[in-house]
Amino acid sequence: MKSKPNVAVVGATGAVGLEMIKTLEKRNFPVGQLTLLASARSAGKTLPFHGRDIPVQELTKNSFAGVDLALFSAGGAISREFAPLAAKAGCVVIDNSSAFRMDDAVPLVIPEINAADLKNHRGIIANPNCTTAITLMALYPLHQAFRVTRIFASSYQAVSGTGAKAIQELQRQVGQVVAGQPVTREVYPHQIAFNVLPQVDVFLPNGYTKEEAKMENEGRKIMHHPAFRASVTCVRVPVYRAHSIAVSAEFEKPVTVAAARAVLLKAPGLDVVDDPARHEYPLPLAAAEKYNCQVGRLRLDCALDNGLCFWVAGDQLLKGAALNAVQIAEELLK
Amino acid sequence: MKSKPNVAVVGATGAVGLEMIKTLEKRNFPVGQLTLLASARSAGKTLPFHGRDIPVQELTKNSFAGVDLALFSAGGAISREFAPLAAKAGCVVIDNSSAFRMDDAVPLVIPEINAADLKNHRGIIANPNCTTAITLMALYPLHQAFRVTRIFASSYQAVSGTGAKAIQELQRQVGQVVAGQPVTREVYPHQIAFNVLPQVDVFLPNGYTKEEAKMENEGRKIMHHPAFRASVTCVRVPVYRAHSIAVSAEFEKPVTVAAARAVLLKAPGLDVVDDPARHEYPLPLAAAEKYNCQVGRLRLDCALDNGLCFWVAGDQLLKGAALNAVQIAEELLK
């Protein structure tokens, strides 16, 4: 990789794409030329980057000529079609969709956990699922110390995980409820304002959603831990930004709250926010727009003989998407 | 008990008290005279009952003369002070607070589960915690069929569980956020609008909240199952009414989704809402103001060798409080 690569952002006008551009700027990533790509509908718009207005271009097969690094976040179908073309053109793709995550030829990477896997890439690198990434930021350091066997987890996921249209849907529905008007739906199958939906992504034959299955599948790959088991319920909540996850984790080695806290205090990319007596614990509102995830509510699990409960929150547009992608890009430059 | 007892509602103007009055009316409970009791602040107000305006009186030591049945929902301190006085005056107390729930001399009853325990009462009967009651409505029939050993549960609890002031707090904060004004707090330690709070009730030395500990303690007593273990995270969400709970349950006997569904379809007070392909699953908005709880998202637990995941929702002011209290009163009349 060049020391100042030409970078393309695919899906530049989406909720994650916008965060990718902001994150490249904020972290002073050494961008040569920046190419913003999106659907024909968005072509012609401009987006600011380091004080300049960059035009958004339509994504085509020829978009990747001269591009060294492409950050994709335009959905699985776009990734499946264009990421191999980009890779063939000599570009390294960091893909935020689920299209290639479980492909054995594609590293699935959280830099704080398995940056070493990047050395095996063949042009495409996958960014993990947001809920999985945020959970693993707290779980992996505990796994290193105490060896996790399985987790039971429930998520509290923000609407921005669905995209910009879902943010608008929550805003619109809140206004409708406040005004006493009928609530209209476009994005979610049920009202999200003042409600919670026990469905994130589509259902699999075994009754889990795809989102729920990702925790186990992606967790195994990222942690290099094929025996890891995860029972997960993913729930959409009327929060704009940042996901939270309640976790019960079982370990092989004896765990104490003090030992777990000591491990988590040293973990990269993680803040321990855990002083219940002062009402201090991770909150989605507090985690929003922060690079670090937050962990707290540490306590021994009372239904596991060797387990720990914790509560983790993180900005799913950042650590769950844009930040992690840019961190991978930074690793590639090292 | 008289066939048409004189009934007092203590805490008549609170969120649960108002539901108690409505539930007595809707279910045509045979009320002789209705006495509405509250703090001096509320005395003088009137509340409607079967088309008449009933004055609210100040609760005093002498309030229970001639009262046969008193439904208490005015907090633990009021219950501890006045419930024994009422019982001494010959009144049967059904207490919605946590004051007497774990008292060996006090039955803790969900009529669909352990109505038989009522025969041992000595004047005071306890109504269970709302989150516990809603969870057990689905868990107990499964326990009867498959023998539960432990559960891992996370709750999504509505603000009305805190009371009328919390409903106003969510309404006010939503208005403040929409108007771009600073958010003010009176009830919760953090903003609840567009946020989730991993704290319901106060913290115990072991790191769990009181609310979280109730599931195990009250569950053991109600199910007559002293070995039952429950690892719970209780979370407040910006929903006005009805709690939801994500549960992973481990059983002694082999469980299948089909066998579990067959059991739940026959369970009293419970609706099975479980057709994910049609986006049908329990929702707090749908469970609100309903007598029955709803269960769905049935699937084998992928981290337990013999477990089931489910999602249950119920109106915590009804099955979690007022309805259950009136159902206990109905049992006493049988």
Side-chain angles (χ1 to χ4, degrees), chain A residues 150 190 199 279 281 297 303, chain B residues 150 190 199 212 279 281 303:
Chain A
R150 56 181 167 179
H190 304 280
Q199 179 184 3
H279 307 294
Y281 30 68
R297 294 282 339 257
Chain B
R150 56 181 167 177
H190 304 280
Q199 178 183 4
E212 290 162 353
H279 306 296
Y281 29 68

Side-chain angles (χ1 to χ4, degrees), chain A:
Chain A
M1 181 74 56
K2 282 190 211 165
S3 63
K4 203 170 175 185
N6 293 330
V7 177
V9 175
V10 180
T13 57
V16 173
L18 292 171
E19 291 300 325
M20 284 171 161
I21 299 165
K22 275 192 214 166
T23 306
L24 288 168
E25 178 173 311
K26 271 198 186 170
R27 292 174 73 90
N28 268 310
F29 186 87
V31 176
Q33 191 170 340
L34 180 66
T35 305
L36 302 183
L37 299 167
S39 64
R41 199 164 27 89
S42 295
K45 288 183 185 172
T46 64
L47 291 169
F49 183 68
H50 282 305
R52 291 170 48 215
D53 286 332
I54 313 286
V56 176
Q57 303 172 44
E58 183 182 353
L59 172 66
T60 70
K61 288 177 190 177
N62 304 317
S63 294
F64 301 97
V67 174
D68 302 300
L69 183 68
L71 309 183
F72 272 66
S73 189
I78 295 292
S79 290
R80 271 185 293 272
E81 183 177 353
F82 290 94
L85 292 174
K88 211 167 182 181
C91 174
V92 176
V93 172
I94 302 172
D95 181 30
N96 194 51
S97 84
S98 62
F100 301 102
R101 285 181 193 150
M102 298 313 296
D103 185 330
D104 286 341
V106 174
L108 175 66
V109 173
I110 297 174
E112 292 89 342
I113 298 177
N114 62 332
D117 290 349
L118 289 172
K119 67 178 182 298
N120 302 320
H121 83 79
R122 303 181 200 175
I124 301 178
I125 297 157
N127 215 29
N129 166 260
C130 50
T131 306
T132 302
I134 292 163
T135 303
L136 292 186
M137 287 300 289
L139 185 64
Y140 183 72
L142 296 170
H143 169 57
Q144 284 186 295
F146 310 110
R147 191 86 193 155
V148 69
T149 54
R150 56 181 167 179
I151 65 168
F152 303 87
S154 301
S155 74
Y156 301 70
Q157 297 187 223
V159 295
S160 52
T162 310
K165 279 187 183 169
I167 298 173
Q168 292 156 17
E169 177 136 318
L170 176 55
Q171 288 172 328
R172 187 189 67 247
Q173 290 184 349
V174 164
Q176 290 167 333
V177 170
V178 169
Q181 295 166 352
V183 168
T184 57
R185 290 182 288 104
E186 289 172 19
V187 176
Y188 295 118
H190 304 280
Q191 176 180 329
I192 183 64
F194 309 111
N195 202 13
V196 303
L197 310 184
Q199 179 184 3
V200 177
D201 208 333
V202 298
F203 285 94
L204 298 167
N206 67 359
Y208 286 85
T209 60
K210 277 191 177 179
E211 183 86 356
E212 289 162 355
K214 286 169 185 173
M215 185 82 82
E216 184 169 280
N217 294 332
E218 298 187 18
R220 287 174 175 181
K221 181 167 175 175
I222 295 166
M223 295 196 291
H224 294 245
H225 184 1
F228 173 63
R229 297 168 82 184
S231 168
V232 184
T233 302
C234 286
V235 181
R236 191 73 64 187
V237 297
V239 165
Y240 284 112
R241 191 163 169 159
H243 291 355
S244 309
I245 304 103
V247 182
S248 280
E250 183 186 60
F251 297 97
E252 278 177 27
K253 297 185 190 173
V255 64
T256 65
V257 170
R261 181 174 285 117
V263 162
L264 294 169
L265 281 168
K266 280 185 275 181
L270 190 71
D271 293 333
V272 177
V273 181
D274 191 30
D275 192 349
R278 297 183 177 197
H279 307 294
E280 289 179 11
Y281 30 68
L283 294 171
L285 265 192
E289 305 195 40
K290 301 274 195 342
Y291 285 162
N292 280 8
C293 296
Q294 304 186 338
V295 66
R297 294 282 339 257
L298 302 181
R299 59 206 192 275
L300 288 185
D301 190 294
C302 64
L304 288 168
D305 292 331
N306 196 24
L308 188 83
C309 288
F310 60 87
W311 169 260
V312 58
D315 189 318
Q316 92 289 350
L317 295 179
L318 292 175
K319 189 59 200 174
L323 173 65
N324 197 72
V326 173
Q327 286 176 311
I328 290 172
E330 290 168 351
E331 288 292 327
L332 294 174
L333 288 195
K334 278 183 187 171

Side-chain angles (χ1 to χ4, degrees), chain B:
Chain B
M1 180 74 55
K2 281 190 213 167
S3 62
K4 203 169 175 184
N6 293 329
V7 177
V9 175
V10 180
T13 57
V16 173
L18 293 171
E19 291 299 324
M20 284 172 162
I21 299 166
K22 276 192 214 167
T23 304
L24 287 168
E25 179 173 311
K26 272 199 184 170
R27 291 174 74 90
N28 269 309
F29 187 86
V31 176
Q33 191 170 338
L34 181 66
T35 305
L36 302 183
L37 300 167
S39 65
R41 199 164 27 88
S42 295
K45 288 184 186 172
T46 65
L47 292 169
F49 184 66
H50 283 304
R52 291 170 47 216
D53 285 332
I54 313 285
V56 177
Q57 302 173 44
E58 183 182 353
L59 172 66
T60 70
K61 287 177 191 176
N62 304 317
S63 294
F64 300 97
V67 174
D68 303 300
L69 184 67
L71 309 183
F72 272 66
S73 188
I78 295 292
S79 291
R80 271 186 292 273
E81 184 176 354
F82 289 94
L85 292 173
K88 212 169 184 179
C91 175
V92 176
V93 172
I94 301 172
D95 180 31
N96 194 51
S97 84
S98 62
F100 301 102
R101 286 182 193 149
M102 298 314 296
D103 186 328
D104 286 338
V106 173
L108 176 66
V109 173
I110 298 174
E112 291 89 343
I113 298 177
N114 63 332
D117 290 350
L118 289 172
K119 67 179 185 294
N120 302 320
H121 84 78
R122 303 181 198 173
I124 301 178
I125 297 157
N127 215 29
N129 167 261
C130 50
T131 306
T132 302
I134 292 163
T135 304
L136 292 187
M137 287 301 288
L139 184 63
Y140 183 73
L142 296 170
H143 169 56
Q144 284 185 294
F146 310 109
R147 191 86 194 153
V148 68
T149 54
R150 56 181 167 177
I151 65 169
F152 303 87
S154 301
S155 74
Y156 301 70
Q157 297 187 223
V159 295
S160 52
T162 311
K165 279 187 183 168
I167 298 173
Q168 294 156 17
E169 177 135 319
L170 176 56
Q171 288 172 329
R172 186 187 69 246
Q173 289 183 349
V174 164
Q176 289 167 331
V177 170
V178 169
Q181 294 165 352
V183 167
T184 58
R185 290 182 289 103
E186 288 173 17
V187 176
Y188 295 117
H190 304 280
Q191 177 181 327
I192 182 63
F194 310 110
N195 202 13
V196 302
L197 311 184
Q199 178 183 4
V200 177
D201 208 336
V202 299
F203 286 94
L204 298 167
N206 67 359
Y208 286 85
T209 60
K210 277 193 177 178
E211 184 85 356
E212 290 162 353
K214 286 171 186 172
M215 184 82 82
E216 183 168 280
N217 295 332
E218 298 187 19
R220 287 175 175 182
K221 181 167 176 176
I222 294 166
M223 296 196 288
H224 294 244
H225 184 3
F228 173 65
R229 297 168 81 183
S231 169
V232 184
T233 302
C234 286
V235 180
R236 190 74 65 188
V237 296
V239 164
Y240 284 112
R241 189 162 171 162
H243 291 355
S244 310
I245 305 103
V247 182
S248 281
E250 183 186 59
F251 297 97
E252 277 177 25
K253 297 185 189 173
V255 65
T256 65
V257 170
R261 182 174 285 119
V263 161
L264 294 168
L265 281 167
K266 281 185 276 184
L270 190 70
D271 294 332
V272 177
V273 181
D274 191 30
D275 191 350
R278 297 180 177 200
H279 306 296
E280 289 179 9
Y281 29 68
L283 295 170
L285 265 192
E289 305 195 40
K290 301 273 194 342
Y291 285 162
N292 279 8
C293 296
Q294 305 186 337
V295 67
R297 296 280 344 255
L298 302 182
R299 58 204 193 276
L300 288 183
D301 191 295
C302 64
L304 288 168
D305 291 331
N306 196 25
L308 188 83
C309 288
F310 60 89
W311 168 260
V312 58
D315 188 319
Q316 91 290 349
L317 295 179
L318 291 176
K319 190 58 200 173
L323 172 65
N324 198 73
V326 173
Q327 286 176 310
I328 290 172
E330 290 168 350
E331 288 291 326
L332 295 174
L333 287 196
K334 280 183 185 170

